[in-house]
Amino acid sequence: MADRSVALQKPSAPPSPVHGGTQQATVYRILLAISFVHLFNDSIQSVIPAIFPILKDNLFLTFTQIGWISFAINFTSSLIQPVIGYAADRRPTPILLPIGMCFTFAGVFLLAHAHTYLLVLLAVILIGLGSATFHPEGMRVAHMAAGMRKGLSQSIFQVGGNAGQSLAPLLTKFIFVPYGQIGAMAFTFVAGAGILVQSYVAKWYHGMLKAGYTFKKRTAGRTLDPARRKSIWNATVVLVVLVFIRSWYGAAISSYYAFYLMEAYRISIENAQIYIFLFLASGAVGTFFGGPLADRYGRRNLIIFSMVGTAPIALILPFVSSFWAGVLLVISGFVLLSSFSVTVVYAQMLHPGNIGTVSGLITGFAFGMGGIGSLVLGNLGDVWGIANVMIAVGFLPLLGLLALLLPSDRTLDQWSKE
């Protein structure tokens, strides 16, 4: 052990790994690198909803068909992410990081040239595969580079993704409206940059594993009494349902609210995108501050506030003027997504050592199931009208009261140490 300590002090070697990095300094350069790649990945994903209005006009699509496109990318991630996360927990594979971005590169290239509905579906499936490959290993890297600052590391990692998602309306306004579908070609350069950064991160990741980094496991995992194990899994189910609800409401705003603005307020497609940007950008800010707020006021309390606090805003949003709609979207975006990184950390504490699996479950399966919500909302938009859909989804955040069923922070801390 002494020889290893000496070896790890060499400048070219990674920081000393001790049981999941609990005695390791926070590696900010890696956190920032993986956060930027998260921004690249999710900005490319944001191309999909951003291009909906263009695809709807070019290919004469219905809201139901748009829902299927959203479903394809989200459901692809939901199926693959937990599987990759589970495999990575048992055999970490750093090379998956650049490989995933290669899938994304291919998907964006195909999307720019897709002139049929089936080719669009194939393109978004490739982008979904790239995202599914990135997220579990990306979260493991963020956890590995965090040292003692797990909450902060998740905030840094997740804010990159949510910032990327917030770019969708700006992409519509400044790229797809003036240049059309071929504008997606610009994102092949983003994917190329992502491949380069991922290669750098993968090299560091490989070095950490070679130096002996191990993720801390629950030492008493096999001796937990059945009641405790049942409580942990009940909490996991509640957490997944909460993320599922949050995803449904987020899909309603990001994918369909622009159509509602165009119909109800006669706002142009370019100006409607500004409202969506306000919601998503404030959500990115909320994601960053969610970690520190949870440290101060409690993880469970923040999750409850995030869900229940959004409910009254969501209920009155369809009935206010266009000015107040913008104001409410800023507030609701911040509140709703303030729990984004907190739910991930909460899930990781429920299942220590299974970082990839848990991350795949929370950001993959739960968000992928949000794709079902987008599909359902698209069908309802064709049948009920988009205005009635926006009124109906306002009730979704009320289900956030389920967060009251989550164990307290004190209980969670006790479980994570056993």
Side-chain angles (χ1 to χ4, degrees):
M1 187 69 181
D3 293 339
R4 173 174 291 179
S5 299
V6 172
L8 293 178
Q9 290 172 4
K10 295 179 180 180
S12 60
S16 178
V18 181
H19 271 313
T22 55
Q23 297 181 21
Q24 170 200 315
T26 303
V27 189
Y28 287 102
R29 61 185 173 84
I30 296 298
L31 285 176
L32 291 174
I34 202 69
S35 181
F36 272 112
V37 175
H38 202 181
L39 186 149
F40 295 160
N41 180 85
D42 284 25
S43 66
I44 292 173
Q45 273 194 280
S46 73
V47 167
I48 309 305
I51 208 171
F52 280 166
I54 306 303
L55 293 176
K56 190 174 189 296
D57 291 339
N58 288 355
L59 302 178
F60 306 101
L61 304 181
T62 64
F63 284 120
T64 299
Q65 288 175 309
I66 289 174
W68 275 110
I69 295 173
S70 181
F71 173 82
I73 187 170
N74 284 292
F75 197 67
T76 301
S77 290
S78 78
L79 287 176
I80 303 299
Q81 261 196 68
V83 175
I84 292 177
Y86 180 84
D89 283 334
R90 278 134 193 84
R91 186 176 180 180
T93 311
I95 193 64
L96 286 178
L97 291 170
I99 287 177
M101 195 58 71
C102 289
F103 277 111
T104 302
F105 181 97
V108 174
F109 184 87
L110 180 59
L111 180 64
H113 298 89
H115 297 298
T116 68
Y117 182 58
L118 289 179
L119 283 178
V120 171
L121 288 175
L122 177 59
V124 301
I125 287 173
L126 286 172
I127 294 173
L129 286 173
S131 180
T133 305
F134 163 71
H135 280 98
E137 287 286 27
M139 286 201 184
R140 285 170 63 84
V141 169
H143 188 277
M144 184 180 286
M148 294 291 291
R149 312 196 69 177
K150 304 301 183 186
L152 176 64
S153 74
Q154 277 301 318
S155 290
I156 292 174
F157 176 72
Q158 298 294 353
V159 75
N162 283 351
Q165 291 174 12
S166 73
L167 296 177
L170 298 185
L171 301 180
T172 302
K173 181 178 177 68
F174 295 112
I175 294 181
F176 295 120
V177 170
Y179 299 108
Q181 191 174 334
I182 196 65
M185 276 295 293
F187 291 89
T188 58
F189 295 100
V190 177
I195 293 171
L196 293 176
V197 179
Q198 288 287 62
S199 298
Y200 169 76
V201 172
K203 183 178 180 181
W204 178 86
Y205 184 2
H206 177 74
M208 289 291 288
L209 295 175
K210 193 173 181 180
Y213 184 101
T214 58
F215 288 90
K216 183 179 179 180
K217 298 286 186 179
R218 189 192 303 275
T219 55
R222 295 188 177 183
T223 60
L224 285 179
D225 63 88
R228 173 68 57 82
R229 184 176 289 109
K230 181 179 180 181
S231 296
I232 290 173
W233 280 105
N234 285 343
T236 304
V237 170
V238 170
L239 205 61
V240 169
V241 170
L242 290 173
V243 177
F244 185 27
I245 293 167
R246 189 176 64 198
S247 301
W248 272 52
Y249 186 72
I253 299 298
S254 61
S255 297
Y256 299 106
Y257 191 68
F259 295 109
Y260 172 76
L261 289 169
M262 294 162 63
E263 177 183 303
Y265 300 110
R266 305 301 177 188
I267 293 175
S268 67
I269 182 175
E270 296 94 333
N271 290 332
Q273 300 307 313
I274 299 300
Y275 287 79
I276 312 304
F277 172 73
L278 291 174
F279 174 79
L280 296 174
S282 65
V285 176
T287 297
F288 181 77
F289 284 101
L293 288 172
D295 290 339
R296 183 179 179 88
Y297 299 106
R299 291 177 291 269
R300 179 175 177 267
N301 290 339
L302 188 72
I303 293 172
I304 294 171
F305 168 74
S306 169
M307 300 299 297
V308 178
T310 305
I313 300 174
L315 289 170
I316 65 174
L317 181 62
F319 304 104
V320 299
S321 67
S322 58
F323 170 79
W324 285 108
V327 174
L328 293 179
L329 284 170
V330 170
I331 298 173
S332 63
F334 183 95
V335 174
L336 183 68
L337 293 178
S338 63
S339 64
F340 195 99
S341 60
V342 180
T343 52
V344 175
V345 174
Y346 194 102
Q348 290 174 350
M349 293 183 71
L350 284 172
H351 302 278
N354 296 306
I355 306 301
T357 306
V358 169
S359 300
L361 185 67
I362 295 299
T363 63
F365 181 76
F367 273 102
M369 291 299 97
I372 296 178
S374 185
L375 176 60
V376 171
L377 294 175
N379 278 274
L380 293 178
D382 287 330
V383 176
W384 289 358
I386 204 67
N388 290 326
V389 169
M390 296 313 303
I391 293 172
V393 298
F395 291 90
L396 278 175
L398 288 173
L399 297 175
L401 290 169
L402 290 171
L404 294 170
L405 300 176
L406 291 173
S408 67
D409 283 23
R410 180 178 297 179
T411 300
L412 182 65
D413 290 336
Q414 180 184 346
W415 287 356
S416 67
K417 293 174 182 177
E418 294 181 353

